[in-house]
Amino acid sequence: MTAALNPEAVPFWPWGLLLLIAGLYIVAIAGLIAAGRREDARALAGFIPDCMVLVSRLARDRRISRARRALLLLVLAYLALPVDLVPDFLPGIGQLDDAVLLGLALRVVVRGGGIELVRAAWPGPQASLTLVLRAAGLETNGAATPRTTLKP
């Protein structure tokens, strides 16, 4: 009998662990909602999807050079893959490799077209964008760093 027909034959690793982590993630979001922090809950729930949308929008933007768009497509593929350098199920550090790669890619894009391209492509809440820009070293205390302004 195949595993698809026999639930007892499905191993706990990795599917059970993945379901456990997804459950904890949902509980964290529900906790934020229960605490009256709906904006924070939305930001947490949508952060990785927002990053993927950002990268895909920037990768299709013709104002960005082909080489930079190719880099963005590689980062998008990495974000979409379930296999990472640092596994996502590790609490706290699981998304670290994703954030570092996204930050490096955003630095490359900003050097080629400016921070306004990133701001225009961001689909999520402003607080999450500020976090992304700060993590990429592109913004401090709410102001763009001098090297991130649009080139003429």
Side-chain angles (χ1 to χ4, degrees):
M1 193 175 262
T2 65
L5 300 176
N6 185 4
E8 293 85 23
V10 176
F12 177 75
W13 174 260
W15 304 111
L17 186 59
L18 184 64
L19 287 173
L20 179 67
I21 291 166
L24 291 173
Y25 184 68
I26 291 169
V27 167
I29 293 169
L32 286 171
I33 292 171
R37 297 173 55 188
R38 291 188 180 274
E39 184 64 27
D40 292 338
R42 191 277 182 232
L44 177 62
F47 186 72
I48 296 297
D50 287 344
C51 289
M52 292 179 72
V53 169
L54 169 69
V55 172
S56 67
R57 286 178 180 173
L58 290 172
R60 292 180 299 201
D61 193 328
R62 299 287 179 205
R63 295 174 291 178
I64 299 171
S65 72
R66 283 184 182 218
R68 286 182 168 92
R69 289 193 325 229
L71 173 68
L72 288 168
L73 289 174
L74 288 173
V75 170
L76 182 62
Y78 184 80
L79 289 173
L81 287 174
V83 178
D84 286 348
L85 293 173
V86 180
D88 286 339
F89 62 81
L90 295 174
I93 64 168
Q95 288 76 27
L96 186 59
D97 58 331
D98 297 337
V100 167
L101 284 177
L102 179 61
L104 291 173
L106 289 178
R107 281 178 165 254
V108 170
V109 168
V110 166
R111 283 191 186 137
I115 201 166
E116 292 308 316
L117 290 175
V118 175
R119 290 185 191 282
W122 181 253
Q126 180 62 38
S128 295
L129 174 60
T130 301
L131 179 66
V132 168
L133 294 175
R134 283 184 182 168
L138 299 172
E139 187 171 77
T140 57
N141 297 329
T145 59
R147 68 177 181 268
T148 61
T149 57
L150 277 173
K151 294 180 181 180

PDB file of all heavy atoms in Angstrom, residues 82-117:
ATOM      1  N   PRO A  82      12.052  25.302  -0.861  1.00  0.00           N
ATOM      2  CA  PRO A  82      11.932  24.890   0.539  1.00  0.00           C
ATOM      3  C   PRO A  82      13.285  24.567   1.181  1.00  0.00           C
ATOM      4  O   PRO A  82      13.398  24.508   2.392  1.00  0.00           O
ATOM      5  CB  PRO A  82      11.054  23.645   0.470  1.00  0.00           C
ATOM      6  CG  PRO A  82      11.249  23.116  -0.900  1.00  0.00           C
ATOM      7  CD  PRO A  82      11.533  24.303  -1.785  1.00  0.00           C
ATOM      8  N   VAL A  83      14.323  24.376   0.375  1.00  0.00           N
ATOM      9  CA  VAL A  83      15.651  24.047   0.891  1.00  0.00           C
ATOM     10  C   VAL A  83      16.464  25.337   0.986  1.00  0.00           C
ATOM     11  O   VAL A  83      16.595  26.069   0.018  1.00  0.00           O
ATOM     12  CB  VAL A  83      16.364  23.036  -0.032  1.00  0.00           C
ATOM     13  CG1 VAL A  83      17.746  22.735   0.486  1.00  0.00           C
ATOM     14  CG2 VAL A  83      15.547  21.770  -0.167  1.00  0.00           C
ATOM     15  N   ASP A  84      17.001  25.623   2.177  1.00  0.00           N
ATOM     16  CA  ASP A  84      17.769  26.838   2.419  1.00  0.00           C
ATOM     17  C   ASP A  84      19.112  26.476   3.050  1.00  0.00           C
ATOM     18  O   ASP A  84      19.296  25.376   3.571  1.00  0.00           O
ATOM     19  CB  ASP A  84      17.027  27.765   3.395  1.00  0.00           C
ATOM     20  CG  ASP A  84      15.839  28.448   2.768  1.00  0.00           C
ATOM     21  OD1 ASP A  84      15.701  28.394   1.549  1.00  0.00           O
ATOM     22  OD2 ASP A  84      15.058  29.051   3.522  1.00  0.00           O
ATOM     23  N   LEU A  85      20.033  27.437   3.046  1.00  0.00           N
ATOM     24  CA  LEU A  85      21.295  27.254   3.755  1.00  0.00           C
ATOM     25  C   LEU A  85      21.043  27.093   5.247  1.00  0.00           C
ATOM     26  O   LEU A  85      21.631  26.262   5.912  1.00  0.00           O
ATOM     27  CB  LEU A  85      22.226  28.443   3.504  1.00  0.00           C
ATOM     28  CG  LEU A  85      22.735  28.610   2.077  1.00  0.00           C
ATOM     29  CD1 LEU A  85      23.499  29.916   1.938  1.00  0.00           C
ATOM     30  CD2 LEU A  85      23.602  27.438   1.674  1.00  0.00           C
ATOM     31  N   VAL A  86      20.165  27.928   5.785  1.00  0.00           N
ATOM     32  CA  VAL A  86      19.722  27.826   7.176  1.00  0.00           C
ATOM     33  C   VAL A  86      18.248  27.434   7.115  1.00  0.00           C
ATOM     34  O   VAL A  86      17.428  28.207   6.629  1.00  0.00           O
ATOM     35  CB  VAL A  86      19.886  29.170   7.926  1.00  0.00           C
ATOM     36  CG1 VAL A  86      19.412  29.042   9.362  1.00  0.00           C
ATOM     37  CG2 VAL A  86      21.324  29.642   7.867  1.00  0.00           C
ATOM     38  N   PRO A  87      17.885  26.228   7.577  1.00  0.00           N
ATOM     39  CA  PRO A  87      16.490  25.768   7.464  1.00  0.00           C
ATOM     40  C   PRO A  87      15.508  26.734   8.120  1.00  0.00           C
ATOM     41  O   PRO A  87      15.768  27.249   9.210  1.00  0.00           O
ATOM     42  CB  PRO A  87      16.499  24.414   8.182  1.00  0.00           C
ATOM     43  CG  PRO A  87      17.928  23.982   8.171  1.00  0.00           C
ATOM     44  CD  PRO A  87      18.745  25.237   8.217  1.00  0.00           C
ATOM     45  N   ASP A  88      14.383  26.981   7.447  1.00  0.00           N
ATOM     46  CA  ASP A  88      13.388  27.942   7.925  1.00  0.00           C
ATOM     47  C   ASP A  88      12.691  27.508   9.217  1.00  0.00           C
ATOM     48  O   ASP A  88      12.091  28.328   9.893  1.00  0.00           O
ATOM     49  CB  ASP A  88      12.335  28.208   6.849  1.00  0.00           C
ATOM     50  CG  ASP A  88      12.874  29.069   5.729  1.00  0.00           C
ATOM     51  OD1 ASP A  88      13.872  29.772   5.949  1.00  0.00           O
ATOM     52  OD2 ASP A  88      12.290  29.036   4.627  1.00  0.00           O
ATOM     53  N   PHE A  89      12.757  26.222   9.548  1.00  0.00           N
ATOM     54  CA  PHE A  89      12.070  25.780  10.758  1.00  0.00           C
ATOM     55  C   PHE A  89      12.843  26.108  12.042  1.00  0.00           C
ATOM     56  O   PHE A  89      12.320  25.944  13.126  1.00  0.00           O
ATOM     57  CB  PHE A  89      11.744  24.286  10.714  1.00  0.00           C
ATOM     58  CG  PHE A  89      12.945  23.379  10.633  1.00  0.00           C
ATOM     59  CD1 PHE A  89      13.658  23.050  11.757  1.00  0.00           C
ATOM     60  CD2 PHE A  89      13.338  22.858   9.419  1.00  0.00           C
ATOM     61  CE1 PHE A  89      14.755  22.230  11.683  1.00  0.00           C
ATOM     62  CE2 PHE A  89      14.430  22.021   9.326  1.00  0.00           C
ATOM     63  CZ  PHE A  89      15.147  21.709  10.479  1.00  0.00           C
ATOM     64  N   LEU A  90      14.061  26.612  11.912  1.00  0.00           N
ATOM     65  CA  LEU A  90      14.811  27.022  13.101  1.00  0.00           C
ATOM     66  C   LEU A  90      14.287  28.382  13.572  1.00  0.00           C
ATOM     67  O   LEU A  90      14.352  29.360  12.832  1.00  0.00           O
ATOM     68  CB  LEU A  90      16.305  27.112  12.798  1.00  0.00           C
ATOM     69  CG  LEU A  90      16.984  25.793  12.447  1.00  0.00           C
ATOM     70  CD1 LEU A  90      18.425  26.039  12.026  1.00  0.00           C
ATOM     71  CD2 LEU A  90      16.921  24.820  13.608  1.00  0.00           C
ATOM     72  N   PRO A  91      13.756  28.459  14.784  1.00  0.00           N
ATOM     73  CA  PRO A  91      13.154  29.709  15.241  1.00  0.00           C
ATOM     74  C   PRO A  91      14.177  30.833  15.363  1.00  0.00           C
ATOM     75  O   PRO A  91      15.259  30.650  15.889  1.00  0.00           O
ATOM     76  CB  PRO A  91      12.560  29.352  16.606  1.00  0.00           C
ATOM     77  CG  PRO A  91      13.184  28.069  17.008  1.00  0.00           C
ATOM     78  CD  PRO A  91      13.713  27.403  15.782  1.00  0.00           C
ATOM     79  N   GLY A  92      13.793  31.981  14.855  1.00  0.00           N
ATOM     80  CA  GLY A  92      14.637  33.160  14.961  1.00  0.00           C
ATOM     81  C   GLY A  92      15.667  33.301  13.865  1.00  0.00           C
ATOM     82  O   GLY A  92      15.794  34.354  13.272  1.00  0.00           O
ATOM     83  N   ILE A  93      16.406  32.237  13.577  1.00  0.00           N
ATOM     84  CA  ILE A  93      17.455  32.338  12.563  1.00  0.00           C
ATOM     85  C   ILE A  93      17.067  31.685  11.246  1.00  0.00           C
ATOM     86  O   ILE A  93      17.808  31.758  10.278  1.00  0.00           O
ATOM     87  CB  ILE A  93      18.784  31.741  13.073  1.00  0.00           C
ATOM     88  CG1 ILE A  93      18.651  30.246  13.342  1.00  0.00           C
ATOM     89  CG2 ILE A  93      19.284  32.478  14.283  1.00  0.00           C
ATOM     90  CD1 ILE A  93      19.962  29.547  13.564  1.00  0.00           C
ATOM     91  N   GLY A  94      15.910  31.065  11.188  1.00  0.00           N
ATOM     92  CA  GLY A  94      15.489  30.341   9.999  1.00  0.00           C
ATOM     93  C   GLY A  94      15.352  31.200   8.759  1.00  0.00           C
ATOM     94  O   GLY A  94      15.635  30.760   7.646  1.00  0.00           O
ATOM     95  N   GLN A  95      14.927  32.441   8.916  1.00  0.00           N
ATOM     96  CA  GLN A  95      14.761  33.335   7.774  1.00  0.00           C
ATOM     97  C   GLN A  95      15.964  34.243   7.584  1.00  0.00           C
ATOM     98  O   GLN A  95      15.963  35.108   6.719  1.00  0.00           O
ATOM     99  CB  GLN A  95      13.497  34.187   7.930  1.00  0.00           C
ATOM    100  CG  GLN A  95      12.213  33.427   7.750  1.00  0.00           C
ATOM    101  CD  GLN A  95      11.855  32.566   8.933  1.00  0.00           C
ATOM    102  OE1 GLN A  95      12.232  32.844  10.052  1.00  0.00           O
ATOM    103  NE2 GLN A  95      11.127  31.490   8.682  1.00  0.00           N
ATOM    104  N   LEU A  96      17.017  34.023   8.354  1.00  0.00           N
ATOM    105  CA  LEU A  96      18.185  34.885   8.285  1.00  0.00           C
ATOM    106  C   LEU A  96      18.843  34.851   6.909  1.00  0.00           C
ATOM    107  O   LEU A  96      19.187  35.898   6.354  1.00  0.00           O
ATOM    108  CB  LEU A  96      19.192  34.496   9.370  1.00  0.00           C
ATOM    109  CG  LEU A  96      20.409  35.385   9.519  1.00  0.00           C
ATOM    110  CD1 LEU A  96      19.976  36.814   9.840  1.00  0.00           C
ATOM    111  CD2 LEU A  96      21.320  34.855  10.608  1.00  0.00           C
ATOM    112  N   ASP A  97      19.012  33.669   6.338  1.00  0.00           N
ATOM    113  CA  ASP A  97      19.641  33.594   5.019  1.00  0.00           C
ATOM    114  C   ASP A  97      18.779  34.260   3.956  1.00  0.00           C
ATOM    115  O   ASP A  97      19.288  34.930   3.058  1.00  0.00           O
ATOM    116  CB  ASP A  97      19.977  32.157   4.635  1.00  0.00           C
ATOM    117  CG  ASP A  97      18.753  31.266   4.628  1.00  0.00           C
ATOM    118  OD1 ASP A  97      17.801  31.532   5.386  1.00  0.00           O
ATOM    119  OD2 ASP A  97      18.738  30.283   3.860  1.00  0.00           O
ATOM    120  N   ASP A  98      17.451  34.123   4.080  1.00  0.00           N
ATOM    121  CA  ASP A  98      16.545  34.797   3.144  1.00  0.00           C
ATOM    122  C   ASP A  98      16.701  36.310   3.248  1.00  0.00           C
ATOM    123  O   ASP A  98      16.782  37.014   2.240  1.00  0.00           O
ATOM    124  CB  ASP A  98      15.081  34.418   3.433  1.00  0.00           C
ATOM    125  CG  ASP A  98      14.801  32.941   3.246  1.00  0.00           C
ATOM    126  OD1 ASP A  98      15.560  32.286   2.504  1.00  0.00           O
ATOM    127  OD2 ASP A  98      13.839  32.451   3.841  1.00  0.00           O
ATOM    128  N   ALA A  99      16.735  36.814   4.475  1.00  0.00           N
ATOM    129  CA  ALA A  99      16.851  38.256   4.689  1.00  0.00           C
ATOM    130  C   ALA A  99      18.186  38.801   4.186  1.00  0.00           C
ATOM    131  O   ALA A  99      18.230  39.875   3.581  1.00  0.00           O
ATOM    132  CB  ALA A  99      16.672  38.578   6.175  1.00  0.00           C
ATOM    133  N   VAL A 100      19.261  38.053   4.409  1.00  0.00           N
ATOM    134  CA  VAL A 100      20.575  38.510   3.960  1.00  0.00           C
ATOM    135  C   VAL A 100      20.621  38.573   2.439  1.00  0.00           C
ATOM    136  O   VAL A 100      21.075  39.571   1.855  1.00  0.00           O
ATOM    137  CB  VAL A 100      21.691  37.591   4.516  1.00  0.00           C
ATOM    138  CG1 VAL A 100      23.014  37.850   3.830  1.00  0.00           C
ATOM    139  CG2 VAL A 100      21.818  37.783   6.021  1.00  0.00           C
ATOM    140  N   LEU A 101      20.141  37.522   1.776  1.00  0.00           N
ATOM    141  CA  LEU A 101      20.138  37.536   0.312  1.00  0.00           C
ATOM    142  C   LEU A 101      19.243  38.639  -0.243  1.00  0.00           C
ATOM    143  O   LEU A 101      19.605  39.306  -1.212  1.00  0.00           O
ATOM    144  CB  LEU A 101      19.703  36.177  -0.237  1.00  0.00           C
ATOM    145  CG  LEU A 101      20.752  35.088  -0.171  1.00  0.00           C
ATOM    146  CD1 LEU A 101      20.196  33.768  -0.669  1.00  0.00           C
ATOM    147  CD2 LEU A 101      21.984  35.465  -0.959  1.00  0.00           C
ATOM    148  N   LEU A 102      18.073  38.827   0.367  1.00  0.00           N
ATOM    149  CA  LEU A 102      17.180  39.892  -0.082  1.00  0.00           C
ATOM    150  C   LEU A 102      17.844  41.254   0.117  1.00  0.00           C
ATOM    151  O   LEU A 102      17.793  42.109  -0.769  1.00  0.00           O
ATOM    152  CB  LEU A 102      15.853  39.832   0.672  1.00  0.00           C
ATOM    153  CG  LEU A 102      14.833  40.905   0.326  1.00  0.00           C
ATOM    154  CD1 LEU A 102      14.434  40.821  -1.140  1.00  0.00           C
ATOM    155  CD2 LEU A 102      13.618  40.794   1.217  1.00  0.00           C
ATOM    156  N   GLY A 103      18.486  41.450   1.260  1.00  0.00           N
ATOM    157  CA  GLY A 103      19.170  42.713   1.520  1.00  0.00           C
ATOM    158  C   GLY A 103      20.274  42.993   0.514  1.00  0.00           C
ATOM    159  O   GLY A 103      20.390  44.110  -0.009  1.00  0.00           O
ATOM    160  N   LEU A 104      21.079  41.982   0.209  1.00  0.00           N
ATOM    161  CA  LEU A 104      22.147  42.162  -0.779  1.00  0.00           C
ATOM    162  C   LEU A 104      21.578  42.477  -2.163  1.00  0.00           C
ATOM    163  O   LEU A 104      22.081  43.348  -2.872  1.00  0.00           O
ATOM    164  CB  LEU A 104      23.027  40.913  -0.826  1.00  0.00           C
ATOM    165  CG  LEU A 104      23.882  40.660   0.417  1.00  0.00           C
ATOM    166  CD1 LEU A 104      24.572  39.305   0.315  1.00  0.00           C
ATOM    167  CD2 LEU A 104      24.892  41.764   0.620  1.00  0.00           C
ATOM    168  N   ALA A 105      20.521  41.776  -2.538  1.00  0.00           N
ATOM    169  CA  ALA A 105      19.903  42.024  -3.848  1.00  0.00           C
ATOM    170  C   ALA A 105      19.316  43.437  -3.909  1.00  0.00           C
ATOM    171  O   ALA A 105      19.439  44.121  -4.937  1.00  0.00           O
ATOM    172  CB  ALA A 105      18.824  40.990  -4.131  1.00  0.00           C
ATOM    173  N   LEU A 106      18.692  43.892  -2.826  1.00  0.00           N
ATOM    174  CA  LEU A 106      18.131  45.239  -2.813  1.00  0.00           C
ATOM    175  C   LEU A 106      19.225  46.299  -2.907  1.00  0.00           C
ATOM    176  O   LEU A 106      19.045  47.324  -3.566  1.00  0.00           O
ATOM    177  CB  LEU A 106      17.287  45.463  -1.559  1.00  0.00           C
ATOM    178  CG  LEU A 106      15.959  44.717  -1.523  1.00  0.00           C
ATOM    179  CD1 LEU A 106      15.237  44.996  -0.212  1.00  0.00           C
ATOM    180  CD2 LEU A 106      15.085  45.075  -2.699  1.00  0.00           C
ATOM    181  N   ARG A 107      20.355  46.047  -2.279  1.00  0.00           N
ATOM    182  CA  ARG A 107      21.481  46.992  -2.393  1.00  0.00           C
ATOM    183  C   ARG A 107      21.923  47.116  -3.848  1.00  0.00           C
ATOM    184  O   ARG A 107      22.180  48.213  -4.334  1.00  0.00           O
ATOM    185  CB  ARG A 107      22.649  46.540  -1.537  1.00  0.00           C
ATOM    186  CG  ARG A 107      22.479  46.863  -0.092  1.00  0.00           C
ATOM    187  CD  ARG A 107      23.670  46.330   0.715  1.00  0.00           C
ATOM    188  NE  ARG A 107      23.657  46.959   2.008  1.00  0.00           N
ATOM    189  CZ  ARG A 107      24.503  47.899   2.376  1.00  0.00           C
ATOM    190  NH1 ARG A 107      25.439  48.309   1.590  1.00  0.00           N
ATOM    191  NH2 ARG A 107      24.416  48.433   3.574  1.00  0.00           N
ATOM    192  N   VAL A 108      21.995  45.984  -4.540  1.00  0.00           N
ATOM    193  CA  VAL A 108      22.406  45.995  -5.953  1.00  0.00           C
ATOM    194  C   VAL A 108      21.380  46.751  -6.792  1.00  0.00           C
ATOM    195  O   VAL A 108      21.736  47.566  -7.652  1.00  0.00           O
ATOM    196  CB  VAL A 108      22.598  44.549  -6.467  1.00  0.00           C
ATOM    197  CG1 VAL A 108      22.772  44.516  -7.969  1.00  0.00           C
ATOM    198  CG2 VAL A 108      23.790  43.899  -5.784  1.00  0.00           C
ATOM    199  N   VAL A 109      20.102  46.522  -6.544  1.00  0.00           N
ATOM    200  CA  VAL A 109      19.043  47.197  -7.308  1.00  0.00           C
ATOM    201  C   VAL A 109      19.065  48.692  -7.046  1.00  0.00           C
ATOM    202  O   VAL A 109      18.958  49.496  -7.975  1.00  0.00           O
ATOM    203  CB  VAL A 109      17.659  46.606  -6.956  1.00  0.00           C
ATOM    204  CG1 VAL A 109      16.541  47.470  -7.498  1.00  0.00           C
ATOM    205  CG2 VAL A 109      17.543  45.195  -7.512  1.00  0.00           C
ATOM    206  N   VAL A 110      19.217  49.088  -5.795  1.00  0.00           N
ATOM    207  CA  VAL A 110      19.213  50.510  -5.448  1.00  0.00           C
ATOM    208  C   VAL A 110      20.394  51.218  -6.105  1.00  0.00           C
ATOM    209  O   VAL A 110      20.265  52.341  -6.593  1.00  0.00           O
ATOM    210  CB  VAL A 110      19.201  50.697  -3.915  1.00  0.00           C
ATOM    211  CG1 VAL A 110      19.526  52.121  -3.532  1.00  0.00           C
ATOM    212  CG2 VAL A 110      17.841  50.299  -3.365  1.00  0.00           C
ATOM    213  N   ARG A 111      21.541  50.574  -6.143  1.00  0.00           N
ATOM    214  CA  ARG A 111      22.697  51.183  -6.811  1.00  0.00           C
ATOM    215  C   ARG A 111      22.421  51.413  -8.292  1.00  0.00           C
ATOM    216  O   ARG A 111      22.949  52.343  -8.885  1.00  0.00           O
ATOM    217  CB  ARG A 111      23.921  50.294  -6.659  1.00  0.00           C
ATOM    218  CG  ARG A 111      24.538  50.402  -5.307  1.00  0.00           C
ATOM    219  CD  ARG A 111      25.887  49.724  -5.255  1.00  0.00           C
ATOM    220  NE  ARG A 111      26.367  49.746  -3.893  1.00  0.00           N
ATOM    221  CZ  ARG A 111      26.944  48.724  -3.296  1.00  0.00           C
ATOM    222  NH1 ARG A 111      27.124  47.603  -3.944  1.00  0.00           N
ATOM    223  NH2 ARG A 111      27.356  48.828  -2.059  1.00  0.00           N
ATOM    224  N   GLY A 112      21.591  50.578  -8.890  1.00  0.00           N
ATOM    225  CA  GLY A 112      21.304  50.713 -10.309  1.00  0.00           C
ATOM    226  C   GLY A 112      20.115  51.593 -10.632  1.00  0.00           C
ATOM    227  O   GLY A 112      20.007  52.103 -11.746  1.00  0.00           O
ATOM    228  N   GLY A 113      19.194  51.790  -9.699  1.00  0.00           N
ATOM    229  CA  GLY A 113      18.007  52.547 -10.058  1.00  0.00           C
ATOM    230  C   GLY A 113      17.442  53.443  -8.984  1.00  0.00           C
ATOM    231  O   GLY A 113      16.612  54.296  -9.260  1.00  0.00           O
ATOM    232  N   GLY A 114      17.833  53.250  -7.744  1.00  0.00           N
ATOM    233  CA  GLY A 114      17.342  54.108  -6.681  1.00  0.00           C
ATOM    234  C   GLY A 114      16.352  53.420  -5.775  1.00  0.00           C
ATOM    235  O   GLY A 114      15.711  52.441  -6.127  1.00  0.00           O
ATOM    236  N   ILE A 115      16.253  53.974  -4.581  1.00  0.00           N
ATOM    237  CA  ILE A 115      15.399  53.401  -3.550  1.00  0.00           C
ATOM    238  C   ILE A 115      13.910  53.547  -3.889  1.00  0.00           C
ATOM    239  O   ILE A 115      13.079  52.777  -3.431  1.00  0.00           O
ATOM    240  CB  ILE A 115      15.738  54.013  -2.176  1.00  0.00           C
ATOM    241  CG1 ILE A 115      15.250  53.107  -1.065  1.00  0.00           C
ATOM    242  CG2 ILE A 115      15.186  55.411  -2.043  1.00  0.00           C
ATOM    243  CD1 ILE A 115      15.814  53.453   0.287  1.00  0.00           C
ATOM    244  N   GLU A 116      13.577  54.528  -4.711  1.00  0.00           N
ATOM    245  CA  GLU A 116      12.169  54.737  -5.059  1.00  0.00           C
ATOM    246  C   GLU A 116      11.594  53.564  -5.847  1.00  0.00           C
ATOM    247  O   GLU A 116      10.394  53.295  -5.761  1.00  0.00           O
ATOM    248  CB  GLU A 116      11.992  56.048  -5.818  1.00  0.00           C
ATOM    249  CG  GLU A 116      12.256  57.279  -4.957  1.00  0.00           C
ATOM    250  CD  GLU A 116      11.468  57.287  -3.655  1.00  0.00           C
ATOM    251  OE1 GLU A 116      10.265  56.960  -3.666  1.00  0.00           O
ATOM    252  OE2 GLU A 116      12.064  57.610  -2.613  1.00  0.00           O
ATOM    253  N   LEU A 117      12.422  52.850  -6.594  1.00  0.00           N
ATOM    254  CA  LEU A 117      11.956  51.647  -7.282  1.00  0.00           C
ATOM    255  C   LEU A 117      11.491  50.599  -6.271  1.00  0.00           C
ATOM    256  O   LEU A 117      10.466  49.944  -6.468  1.00  0.00           O
ATOM    257  CB  LEU A 117      13.066  51.054  -8.158  1.00  0.00           C
ATOM    258  CG  LEU A 117      13.462  51.817  -9.402  1.00  0.00           C
ATOM    259  CD1 LEU A 117      14.654  51.141 -10.076  1.00  0.00           C
ATOM    260  CD2 LEU A 117      12.300  51.902 -10.363  1.00  0.00           C
TER     261      LEU A 117
END
